[in-house]
Amino acid sequence: RRLRHFHASQERFIRKHYGPVGWQLARAGLILGAVARSVVLPNERGHAARDRDEDLVIEGLTPQDRPFLTARKITVEVPWWTAFSRKLIIESIAMTDWNMVVETFPNGRHNFPKFTRDTPANKGPSRFTTTLRSVVALRGSFTYEDHGTPWSTVARNLDVQVYRPPIATTYLGRASFSNGSVKIQSYESFRTDMQSRFTIDGGKVKFSHMDLT
């Protein structure tokens, strides 16, 4: 309980002085720090660090809103020595029992966090690169709510697998869910299931196959 109160006070302080984005960055830093410690530290100390990768919460626009993302457990595999070559390689990220909520509002506002910083146009190429080779997200749920139209969709039992072949420049992926639902305005909601294959190229997701039932 004492630890929970400490983290709650820390969150209030960071949100007050640095805003929601500051809190998102601070939370990400804590997680990455725990990942690094779990790799480097031996035995019980490493296991204790790995425990901090569990029960992830990224808050919504305010602490009173629904969280943007919750996850029971996230495991990150990183060859730590690659950081010294300025070419960090993340072998894999595995996330289980997760829930993501994306909301949009009539005034154009949304709850999607900004995880990157603005880069000046005249800045040269980055001296530090990060390569992510695979992501697996299992037993998840994705909710999208458009409060302007309004309409919403929920994808339950969602599994997503994304990987980058060794010599490829694009990512390949599969996604599937079952017992999902779609509701448009005041009409009755209806069930939907999906199986799909896609590629990610230049930040754009392109579906090569999608089977909706």
Side-chain angles (χ1 to χ4, degrees), residues 173-192:
R174 295 174 177 268
S176 64
F177 66 82
S178 61
N179 195 30
S181 62
V182 176
K183 182 173 178 58
I184 302 175
Q185 297 182 344
S186 59
Y187 296 98
E188 291 291 331
S189 62
F190 56 90
R191 173 174 171 163
T192 181

Side-chain angles (χ1 to χ4, degrees), residues 29 46 81 96-97 111 152:
W81 52 267
T96 55
D97 304 305
N111 74 327
S152 63

Side-chain angles (χ1 to χ4, degrees), residues 21 59 61 70 75 96-97 103 144 150 153 160 167 180:
V21 175
E59 298 289 354
L61 292 173
T70 60
T75 304
T96 55
D97 304 305
E103 297 178 276
Y144 175 78
T153 182
V160 180
I167 60 174

Side-chain angles (χ1 to χ4, degrees), residues 79-89 127-129:
W80 58 269
W81 52 267
T82 61
F84 295 100
S85 65
R86 296 183 179 273
K87 295 181 179 180
L88 179 66
I89 296 176
R127 296 182 179 180
F128 195 98
T129 62

Side-chain angles (χ1 to χ4, degrees), residues 198-209:
F198 59 89
T199 60
I200 302 177
D201 186 6
K204 295 182 179 179
V205 180
K206 302 177 182 179
F207 285 89
S208 59
H209 171 81

